Amino acid sequence: MTDFMETSVPVPCTNSQIPVDLFVSKKHPGLPSGELGFVDSSGNPVYKVTRQSLTSSSNKRVLLDAAGNPRFALCRNDKGCWQGYKGGDAGEKDLVFRVKRTKSKLTRTELEIFLVGENSADSTCDFKVKGFPYQRSCTIYIGNDIVAQTSLMYKLNQLFPKRGKFRLTIFPGSVDHALVAALIVIFLD
């Protein structure tokens, strides 16, 4: 059994016209128990998420690429909002995005994502995530355009699909795949 991040092909942000499928699970070979992993259709690791508890009320997760380099540090504050930082450190100068949960019912969750940059004073969200965490089903939007979707892995003659592994489809465009993976991690929390 090889280490989870030992052999892999990174998925770059491209303007390809072909959607990219990643498979998300906590049970990939070589992945420590309880950590979320993203693999491509060939089973090669693309991303993994490590969990670091800072205090009892604050959690930090780090999204690592296939080579083990930190792409985003994801930090949840006391109010349940998230912030995403470039790299593995949560420094204010490296803040990339903020996430606000706008709807959180038992079955439905909606998030608004605000990118930090030159128009950080703008109060309109850049991305929206809508879906059902229990069913591992969500859609990420920019305006009315779908950026990515998740879905359970249905099989013939299977009445109830297993929730342990699901598909993430990232549609063609110029969105960083690591950002999409980070938003999925936040959505599932």
Side-chain angles (χ1 to χ4, degrees):
M1 182 183 321
T2 62
D3 185 64
F4 182 76
M5 291 299 190
E6 196 171 292
T7 59
S8 65
V9 177
V11 177
C13 171
T14 64
N15 289 327
S16 170
Q17 296 302 313
I18 301 172
V20 174
D21 280 337
L22 298 178
F23 299 93
V24 186
S25 176
K26 289 184 177 182
K27 296 183 180 179
H28 293 298
L31 189 65
S33 177
E35 289 188 2
L36 197 62
F38 295 76
V39 298
D40 64 14
S41 59
S42 299
N44 297 320
V46 179
Y47 302 112
K48 80 170 184 175
V49 180
T50 60
R51 179 183 293 240
Q52 300 172 354
S53 181
L54 300 175
T55 65
S56 60
S57 62
S58 174
N59 285 322
K60 177 182 175 184
R61 289 168 179 72
V62 178
L63 180 72
L64 304 170
D65 66 11
N69 301 318
R71 293 296 306 269
F72 288 105
L74 309 171
C75 301
R76 182 177 57 198
N77 65 20
D78 296 336
K79 298 174 186 173
C81 295
W82 287 83
Q83 294 179 333
Y85 299 90
K86 182 176 155 186
D89 295 326
E92 195 62 38
K93 64 180 173 137
D94 296 326
L95 183 65
V96 176
F97 62 88
R98 290 187 168 90
V99 179
K100 178 180 160 189
R101 192 173 301 265
T102 57
K103 184 183 280 188
S104 184
K105 294 188 176 180
L106 183 60
T107 58
R108 183 159 180 83
T109 298
E110 293 185 12
L111 306 173
E112 289 183 346
I113 295 84
F114 303 88
L115 296 177
V116 176
E118 57 251 8
N119 36 330
S120 60
D122 193 3
S123 63
T124 60
C125 68
D126 296 289
F127 293 89
K128 284 191 178 188
V129 180
K130 297 179 181 182
F132 307 91
Y134 179 78
Q135 297 173 349
R136 305 293 192 251
S137 169
C138 75
T139 304
I140 301 174
Y141 300 91
I142 293 180
N144 292 329
D145 297 331
I146 296 176
V147 173
Q149 280 185 316
T150 62
S151 60
L152 289 174
M153 306 286 290
Y154 289 92
K155 294 181 181 177
L156 292 176
N157 299 324
Q158 185 179 15
L159 193 55
F160 298 105
K162 296 178 181 177
R163 294 180 31 240
K165 182 178 182 182
F166 59 96
R167 174 184 291 119
L168 166 61
T169 302
I170 304 172
F171 296 104
S174 59
V175 176
D176 183 11
H177 294 178
L179 175 62
V180 171
L183 296 179
I184 297 300
V185 171
I186 292 170
F187 175 78
L188 293 175
D189 185 64

